[in-house]
Amino acid sequence: MQTVNGGRRAAVKIQFIGGARTVTGSCYMLDTSTHKLIIDCGMFQGSKELNQWNEQDFAFDPQDISAVVLTHAHIDHSGLVPKLCKEGFKGRIFATHSTVDLCSIMLPDSGHIQEAEAEWYNRKRRRRGRALMKPLYTKEDARRCLSQFKGIPYDKITEVVPGVTVRMRDAGHILGSAIVEMWVSQPNGNAIKLVFSGDLGSKKQAIVKDPTFIDEADYIFIESTYGDRLHEERVDRGEILGGIVRTIQKQGGNIIIPSFSVGRTQEIIYELSELLHKGKIQPLPVFIDSPLAVEATRVFRRNQEVFDEESQQYLQAGVDPLSFPGLQFVETVEESQRLNRVTSGSIIISSSGMCEAGRIKHHLKHHLWRPKSHIVFVGYQAQGTLGRRIIDGAKRVRIFGEDIKIAAQIHNIEGFSAHADRDGLLEWLSGFVRKPKKVFIVHGEEAVSLKFAEIIGESLGLDTYVPRRFETIIFDDAAEMTTLPQEETEHLPLPDALETALAALSKASLEIQEHVKQQALSPVQKQEVLERLTACIEALDQSVQDCEI
């Protein structure tokens, strides 16, 4: 890549705030020299380190931002909008009408979670006389920001600020999801065309349409969540789910499905409805244990005009694809708690999809240790999450401070993913009639993004680049690209004694690893080691949480 040429006036800059070499927290800042826009403003989710990024100051002044464009409502794309508004952003937030509807329930729910987590930590802080922590934003903060949303229809060119127009095209990911075509006017009278894929959906998903193909772009920003792997066929996923249902109907036990409240839950409802209508499973109780999923399903029903052709045919025939006998929506905590007494013959679908919070953790606590229980994962599990540890084969996990042995049968049906897989992403890229100057690989784990960049170059012959967080790309008047180095994260020095202690801890950790490698431990000894390490980690974690002045 070129270095910045100071003699040329840079017309357009893009800074990668999030979504660069990480699968969460999608956010890009566009600077046209006269206006600054944000494309997505997502929350980081997964490991504790990623979650802590949400607490950091924005890499820009929110008051300087003229507008926000959202690709869709998932929290890793919209979840920091309330914080942005709370800290001074006064402009418009542009999204499809369905995305506006979904954000109206998802963002206040996220604010409620922020308040609940802050209160959980503050109960301990009060006892220790520590300063109380404030939530990232509140439910009321989220409600206030909704007045800044402006819904725009699919396929209509809309000016978001002078000199910048967008067109939303269906991304086929969830209800309302969009690919953003963006034209940025240049002083020479031309325009640079940028295309942001958002999250691209799998073809032939239930309810939503297939992703729209785009003809041309100067620069493409494409997600890479599943850029190095293939999903199971859609026909297989129904058969797999149906087989698990038939198993519990013959042998007993429950099915627990950790599911994202918006999109995935409705797709599971649709799939179960089809299995029932085709006689492939017998009727059984199905509980949707998530207030947000209940509200989201209502939003889906209000937006039937954007459903795909197959769903429209069901509706025209008088069949509701989001309902069937036995489907029950659970809203109150008391109703959720009563499900703990249901030991066999039912399906419980609950959030969060990565098992990090919410009612699903209670259901896992009551079912992971049961040999006849089936835990069915139907979506992406980020590194560092409870769901990822279970899928990766953990024998025991800690839930609410209790050590739980995993004896349940674990299933991972990737065919339900709302993300396009490697071939789906490549097919979408191959649809561009005019070859782009550069394809930026974003929104994926680092190893996956780098691998997908290689695959694109080898199979399609396109020039690719995997940006780093905070890296800035410049497009000049001739639509040629240069790059600025990423900003270095400032590291404040630690007190000498703490630095020495941390170095000693790192050394001790390596010594323990070597001892463990050289020893054959019995199950009892192994559990003793795990419990003692867990106790140390929890004590250190709590100390760090309590150390703020």
Side-chain angles (χ1 to χ4, degrees):
M1 280 204 195
Q2 300 173 333
T3 56
V4 176
N5 185 338
R8 276 180 150 174
R9 183 167 63 84
V12 179
K13 298 178 184 177
I14 284 198
Q15 186 178 31
F16 297 87
I17 311 289
R21 303 200 183 200
T22 173
V23 79
T24 65
S26 178
C27 183
Y28 316 99
M29 184 178 72
L30 173 72
D31 185 347
T32 69
S33 299
T34 55
H35 294 281
K36 292 180 179 179
L37 292 83
I38 297 297
I39 297 93
D40 282 344
C41 191
M43 184 178 290
F44 295 98
Q45 298 172 308
S47 67
K48 288 186 177 181
E49 180 185 1
L50 285 175
N51 289 330
Q52 288 168 358
W53 286 2
N54 298 316
E55 303 286 345
Q56 296 176 359
D57 292 336
F58 287 110
F60 49 83
D61 186 343
Q63 297 183 59
D64 292 341
I65 303 301
S66 300
V68 173
V69 178
L70 293 184
T71 60
H72 63 289
H74 275 155
I75 293 300
D76 62 329
H77 291 257
S78 71
L80 289 185
V81 166
K83 180 186 176 186
L84 185 74
C85 296
K86 179 182 175 181
E87 296 185 5
F89 169 68
K90 303 297 183 184
R92 284 288 192 183
I93 303 160
F94 294 90
T96 65
H97 291 290
S98 299
T99 293
V100 174
D101 273 359
L102 288 174
C103 282
S104 72
I105 60 172
M106 294 179 72
L107 294 180
D109 180 75
S110 177
H112 171 72
I113 291 172
Q114 305 306 315
E115 291 181 88
E117 288 183 348
E119 178 55 30
W120 185 86
Y121 282 114
N122 286 339
R123 282 199 296 269
K124 296 184 178 181
R125 287 170 175 255
R126 288 189 188 98
R127 291 195 292 267
R128 292 172 170 81
R130 302 285 188 179
L132 301 184
M133 67 178 291
K134 295 181 179 179
L136 193 63
Y137 54 84
T138 66
K139 190 174 184 178
E140 186 55 35
D141 290 331
R143 284 175 173 162
R144 278 196 291 267
C145 82
L146 297 176
S147 63
Q148 295 173 236
F149 277 74
K150 180 177 177 58
I152 57 178
Y154 280 120
D155 304 324
K156 179 182 178 182
I157 294 178
T158 304
E159 185 177 66
V160 292
V161 296
V164 180
T165 56
V166 301
R167 179 166 60 186
M168 304 296 212
R169 312 300 296 276
D170 203 321
H173 176 58
I174 63 166
L175 187 78
S177 61
I179 301 159
V180 176
E181 292 182 281
M182 179 176 288
W183 292 267
V184 184
S185 298
Q186 299 293 280
N188 60 10
N190 296 325
I192 294 176
K193 184 179 180 184
L194 312 174
V195 171
F196 298 87
S197 75
D199 284 353
L200 288 174
S202 299
K203 293 180 70 173
K204 298 182 180 179
Q205 273 196 96
I207 304 174
V208 298
K209 298 177 181 178
D210 289 348
T212 304
F213 286 93
I214 311 297
D215 291 336
E216 59 180 10
D218 292 311
Y219 299 99
I220 300 171
F221 303 79
I222 184 172
E223 65 118 332
S224 56
T225 309
Y226 286 103
D228 65 343
R229 72 201 82 170
L230 299 176
H231 296 325
E232 296 151 343
E233 292 293 331
R234 181 177 184 273
V235 66
D236 291 338
R237 71 183 190 182
E239 291 300 323
I240 294 169
L241 181 60
I244 299 169
V245 174
R246 290 190 293 271
T247 296
I248 69 158
Q249 290 182 323
K250 291 179 180 178
Q251 301 176 8
N254 288 328
I255 297 172
I256 308 299
I257 304 180
S259 180
F260 300 106
S261 297
V262 178
R264 195 61 41 79
T265 293
Q266 291 73 35
E267 192 171 3
I268 297 298
I269 293 172
Y270 185 102
E271 197 73 42
L272 290 170
S273 178
E274 277 204 321
L275 290 169
L276 282 163
H277 283 128
K278 293 177 180 178
K280 294 186 176 182
I281 60 173
Q282 298 300 310
L284 78 167
V286 177
F287 300 97
I288 308 300
D289 187 20
S290 164
L292 179 59
V294 174
E295 288 296 321
T297 304
R298 291 170 183 155
V299 170
F300 270 65
R301 289 198 174 107
R302 290 201 301 268
N303 288 269
Q304 294 176 351
E305 70 279 1
V306 296
F307 283 12
D308 65 5
E309 184 178 353
E310 185 179 13
S311 300
Q312 295 288 355
Q313 290 174 353
Y314 274 118
L315 292 168
Q316 291 168 9
V319 177
D320 184 351
L322 294 176
S323 180
F324 53 82
L327 181 64
Q328 303 175 52
F329 292 95
V330 178
E331 298 197 52
T332 69
V333 173
E334 291 74 22
E335 290 174 321
S336 178
Q337 290 172 342
R338 283 199 289 272
L339 295 181
N340 295 333
R341 299 196 290 268
V342 180
T343 59
S344 186
S346 69
I347 300 174
I348 299 173
I349 304 171
S350 188
S351 60
S352 69
M354 297 186 192
C355 309
E356 283 296 282
R359 297 179 181 181
I360 188 61
K361 294 183 76 172
H362 294 276
H363 297 305
L364 291 174
K365 179 180 176 180
H366 283 86
H367 286 85
L368 275 173
W369 56 272
R370 300 176 187 267
K372 287 189 176 181
S373 293
H374 294 256
I375 316 300
V376 180
F377 289 93
V378 292
Y380 181 79
Q381 305 298 309
Q383 287 183 344
T385 61
L386 175 60
R388 182 65 166 260
R389 291 197 296 276
I390 295 172
I391 281 182
D392 285 348
K395 302 300 181 184
R396 312 181 80 88
V397 292
R398 290 185 70 82
I399 301 177
F400 300 124
E402 185 175 340
D403 188 67
I404 308 293
K405 178 183 177 181
I406 299 180
Q409 300 179 57
I410 309 300
H411 310 267
N412 184 21
I413 311 179
E414 284 192 356
F416 277 107
S417 176
H419 285 269
D421 63 8
R422 182 198 69 197
D423 286 358
L425 294 171
L426 289 174
E427 182 183 9
W428 183 77
L429 274 178
S430 67
F432 283 83
V433 177
R434 178 165 66 84
K435 187 176 180 180
K437 293 179 172 66
K438 183 81 71 175
V439 178
F440 294 94
I441 315 302
V442 296
H443 202 54
E445 292 177 3
E446 182 171 18
V448 176
S449 295
L450 292 169
K451 179 63 177 177
F452 186 49
E454 290 181 15
I455 293 170
I456 293 173
E458 292 170 359
S459 60
L460 300 179
L462 298 177
D463 192 8
T464 61
Y465 186 67
V466 183
R468 297 180 183 274
R469 190 175 182 224
F470 297 129
E471 191 167 6
T472 299
I473 302 295
I474 298 177
F475 309 99
D476 64 19
D477 292 351
E480 295 178 356
M481 193 188 81
T482 59
T483 183
L484 286 174
Q486 67 191 90
E487 294 181 7
E488 293 296 330
T489 304
E490 183 180 3
H491 291 284
L492 295 176
L494 296 171
D496 290 344
L498 181 56
E499 190 69 65
T500 301
L502 286 171
L505 181 61
S506 296
K507 182 179 179 182
S509 174
L510 292 173
E511 291 176 355
I512 291 171
Q513 291 178 50
E514 287 302 316
H515 284 303
V516 170
K517 289 178 183 177
Q518 296 171 12
Q519 302 292 327
L521 302 178
S522 70
V524 174
Q525 289 174 318
K526 179 180 176 182
Q527 186 58 32
E528 172 69 16
V529 171
L530 289 173
E531 289 179 357
R532 290 173 65 176
L533 287 174
T534 300
C536 289
I537 292 168
E538 290 180 347
L540 288 169
D541 180 67
Q542 190 59 59
S543 296
V544 174
Q545 294 290 345
D546 291 343
C547 73
E548 294 177 18
I549 298 174

